[in-house]
Amino acid sequence: MSQALADTPTRPPRKDLVKAFVAALSGTSLEWYDFAAYSVASALVFGDLFFPSHDPLSGTLLAFSTYAVGYLSRPLGGFVFGRLGDVLGRKQVLVTTLLLTGVATVLIGLLPTHGQVGALGAVLLVALRFAQGVGIGGEWGGAVLLSSEFGDERHRGFWASAAQIGPPAGNLLANGVLAALAASLTPEQFLSWGWRVAFLLSAVLVIFGLWIRVKLEETPVFRELQQQGDQAAAPLREVFTEEPRALISAILSRVGPDVLYALFTVFVLTYVTKELGLPQSWAVAGVMIGSTCQLALIPAAGWLSDRWGRRRVYAIGALGGAVWPFAFFPLIGGGSAPMLVVGVIVGLLWHSLMYGPQAAFVSEQFSTRLRYTGCSLAYTLAGVIGGALAPLLFTSLFAYFDSWIAPACYLLATCVVTLVGLAISPRAARAA
């Protein structure tokens, strides 16, 4: 079946497109709430509760190591659920990934700490973090296709951005819940049981997300593939043998945004509190305000890519992200709360210019019959190279060189990698 036929089936009613947009946005937001709650807890409490150490830096490094497990397990989710998504359909897989991530998150909220069961608590924490990563690994590719395959390619950048709004929305919700808990409880209460509430709330949120997804129809593009009997028999093998350049381009294009996001939403929490000695609430507020801005910036960047081209908008974000840390760290060095907020907002602006067009750019690199697998592999493998190690490397580089310049150069290098990925796109005409 031709690529054009698969990409442009009979257009469904607009209400179905809106429903798909909401389903992709809500489900991805809920899964990223789970993931973000863990990320924030890694920076704030997990070091003390599960990895006690007389050296605060060591505890933070160990906590961030479990953060990396959530990325390292994503390729497994990408391999398994990507294949199923191209064989069985988008909808069924997305229900499974949401349920897997939600159950793992609720169980984290019930875990005994090191003080209660010793090292077993840390082992269980890593295992559940692994399960979270598997679910997220299968989620992104399907969420992107869920929204983009209900529309037409002229507006794919905007509609596909639904899945991209999930991380800042989930991050905002997780930070908001944890900030509210920290503000309403004493430090002792928050460390003892307050942080658990954020994870247990995931049960309610996941039920809501499942309700929306179960009611949704399969995408018209996949239904047409089924009618033609053109589903891939071995999508994993076919992606590696038939579309390797597309896969490499998509992977490289995702590295810079992942690392930049880790700097401005995870590492900044540790840097501001432990290096600058500023109140924890300032760092959390900066991330929350920046994430709020992204709720509008990401779909705006997707919309812009429909008019200016994916690669052009994406490249502007990569260039801005490469140089901004060299202004950001001196800017916040004076200990000003407003400058911290402005610095995070601008950092996430550059991220939005990459992240908004990313879903459409990555999905357009692959033929329709291999798209779920290709997107999932690109997303998860790039996460291992970029996001998995970023908080750990930021912390280690800063500790070794005792300067913010080393982390800034690391981000600069990853943004260059992203520009290379954009340049080698095999479908440059569509993405230009």
Side-chain angles (χ1 to χ4, degrees), residues 31-362:
E31 291 209 27
W32 275 94
Y33 166 84
D34 299 343
F35 212 73
Y38 189 102
S39 301
V40 177
S42 291
L44 302 182
V45 299
F46 280 173
D48 294 329
L49 294 176
F50 293 95
F51 307 99
S53 171
H54 296 298
D55 178 9
L57 176 61
S58 297
T60 300
L61 287 171
L62 288 170
F64 279 156
S65 296
T66 65
Y67 174 89
V69 167
Y71 279 91
L72 295 174
S73 61
R74 288 186 188 185
L76 177 60
F79 275 88
V80 173
F81 293 116
R83 178 186 181 280
L84 292 176
D86 279 327
V87 174
L88 301 178
R90 309 347 184 175
K91 174 185 171 179
Q92 295 182 50
V93 172
L94 286 172
V95 170
T96 304
T97 58
L98 184 62
L99 187 60
L100 174 61
T101 308
V103 170
T105 303
V106 171
L107 291 177
I108 288 176
L110 299 173
L111 278 181
T113 65
H114 186 279
Q116 296 169 317
V117 296
L120 177 61
V123 172
L124 293 174
L125 180 65
V126 172
L128 292 173
R129 181 60 168 176
F130 185 90
Q132 269 191 332
V134 171
I136 291 287
E139 163 71 18
W140 186 80
V144 166
L145 302 186
L146 191 64
S147 55
S148 64
E149 288 185 351
F150 269 93
D152 64 89
E153 63 180 277
R154 294 176 302 166
H155 305 102
R156 183 175 289 155
F158 172 76
W159 291 111
S161 71
Q164 305 301 84
I165 304 172
N171 194 35
L172 177 64
L173 186 58
N175 276 281
V177 169
L178 286 165
L181 290 168
S184 59
L185 302 173
T186 65
E188 292 75 18
Q189 289 173 325
F190 180 76
L191 190 64
S192 175
W193 59 267
W195 64 272
R196 297 181 183 275
V197 176
F199 290 88
L200 297 177
L201 281 176
S202 178
V204 177
L205 301 176
V206 171
I207 290 171
F208 173 73
L210 288 172
W211 173 70
I212 293 177
R213 288 189 173 181
V214 167
K215 295 176 62 177
L216 191 68
E217 297 290 332
E218 183 56 81
T219 72
V221 168
F222 188 79
R223 289 202 304 269
E224 189 159 341
L225 279 175
Q226 286 180 312
Q227 292 169 6
Q228 298 293 331
D230 197 35
Q231 299 106 300
L236 284 170
R237 175 179 56 79
E238 292 180 49
V239 167
F240 282 108
T241 58
E242 299 179 14
E243 303 190 7
R245 182 176 171 185
L247 182 60
I248 293 172
S249 171
I251 290 172
L252 297 183
S253 71
R254 279 193 27 80
V255 174
D258 270 11
V259 175
L260 188 151
Y261 194 70
L263 190 153
F264 286 104
T265 63
V266 181
F267 176 70
V268 69
L269 299 174
T270 300
Y271 181 84
V272 166
T273 56
K274 296 188 176 181
E275 174 62 25
L276 300 183
L278 301 177
Q280 186 180 96
S281 59
W282 287 17
V284 173
V287 173
M288 289 179 64
I289 295 172
S291 295
T292 302
C293 293
Q294 282 202 293
L295 299 181
L297 290 172
I298 287 175
W303 175 86
L304 200 61
S305 76
D306 288 326
R307 285 145 184 83
W308 287 7
R310 316 276 184 243
R311 293 200 301 176
R312 184 173 294 112
V313 176
Y314 211 132
I316 291 172
L319 291 170
V323 302
W324 179 241
F326 294 94
F328 171 72
F329 286 106
L331 183 71
I332 66 174
S336 167
M339 290 298 98
L340 172 61
V341 172
V342 170
V344 172
I345 290 175
V346 174
L348 293 179
L349 164 65
W350 300 124
H351 177 263
S352 298
L353 290 175
M354 291 186 278
Y355 211 61
Q358 183 182 101
F361 175 83
V362 171

Side-chain angles (χ1 to χ4, degrees), residues 378-393:
Y379 177 75
T380 57
L381 294 175
V384 172
I385 300 171
L389 301 178
L392 188 63
L393 285 176

Side-chain angles (χ1 to χ4, degrees), residues 364-375:
E364 287 170 346
Q365 302 310 303
F366 302 97
S367 58
T368 306
R369 59 197 299 274
L370 301 174
R371 190 167 286 159
Y372 201 136
T373 301
C375 288

